[in-house]
Amino acid sequence: GKYHEELKPLLKDVEVVYNADYQKGMFSSVQAGVKHAERNFFIIPGDCPFVKASTFNALMVVSDFLIRVPMYKEKTGHPTYFNAKMKDKILSAPTDSNLRVLRDEVGFKTVEVNDPNILNDIDTINDYQQMINKLERN
């Protein structure tokens, strides 16, 4: 959306999808990306960069739910796994909806992971520095 041109050169190994309707909110950006999904997919905010690969793997292994959410110490976090069967439901939802509403409506499976980073996001430069310091200590 708004910072598409600034971000695109930084994300060389990622397919960048432009959301012309970004003013309609975050869910419209989710829908713009989901349009391009051809298989099962994850949705994770861009400000959650330190989630471990093992978390993604754990969410893929479970096979009995269309939506799977990681949990660390009884708290849910990111990313959320979606079976490809969820694509049409996401795309047909109103743009003022959100993934939590959709997730709760459909139902989901929590998957316990050993990854505190599922709970962390980076909203400020201070958040970023705290996360770097925490990672350096571990």
Side-chain angles (χ1 to χ4, degrees):
K2 186 175 181 180
Y3 297 105
H4 177 80
E5 291 305 317
E6 292 89 340
L7 291 174
K8 192 172 181 176
L10 302 173
L11 303 169
K12 294 180 177 119
D13 296 329
V14 177
E15 180 182 351
V16 178
V17 176
Y18 178 69
N19 176 19
D21 295 325
Y22 69 88
Q23 308 89 336
K24 292 182 179 178
M26 188 184 304
F27 194 68
S28 72
S29 293
V30 167
Q31 290 173 315
V34 169
K35 283 180 190 173
H36 294 268
E38 296 175 5
R39 296 183 296 269
N40 302 339
F41 54 93
F42 291 96
I43 296 179
I44 185 168
D47 63 355
C48 300
F50 298 113
V51 174
K52 296 177 182 178
S54 60
T55 294
F56 289 91
N57 291 333
L59 292 168
M60 287 189 293
V61 170
V62 177
S63 62
D64 56 347
F65 276 79
L66 297 176
I67 302 174
R68 304 167 206 159
V69 178
M71 185 180 338
Y72 178 76
K73 294 189 177 180
E74 300 185 24
K75 293 182 181 177
T76 58
H78 297 289
T80 301
Y81 170 96
F82 291 90
N83 184 286
K85 294 176 184 174
M86 292 299 303
K87 180 177 178 175
D88 289 338
K89 185 147 185 80
I90 293 170
L91 294 178
S92 64
T95 57
D96 64 347
S97 187
N98 65 63
L99 286 175
R100 180 169 283 150
V101 167
L102 188 98
R103 177 195 80 176
D104 293 349
E105 177 185 309
V106 171
F108 62 96
K109 169 102 173 151
T110 56
V111 178
E112 187 68 36
V113 296
N114 186 21
D115 185 0
N117 295 318
I118 70 163
L119 306 175
N120 299 324
D121 64 351
I122 299 171
D123 295 322
T124 67
I125 201 75
N126 188 45
D127 292 344
Y128 172 76
Q129 193 56 56
Q130 287 178 353
M131 183 63 71
I132 293 298
N133 292 341
K134 193 184 301 183
L135 289 171
E136 287 175 349
R137 285 192 303 269
N138 294 332

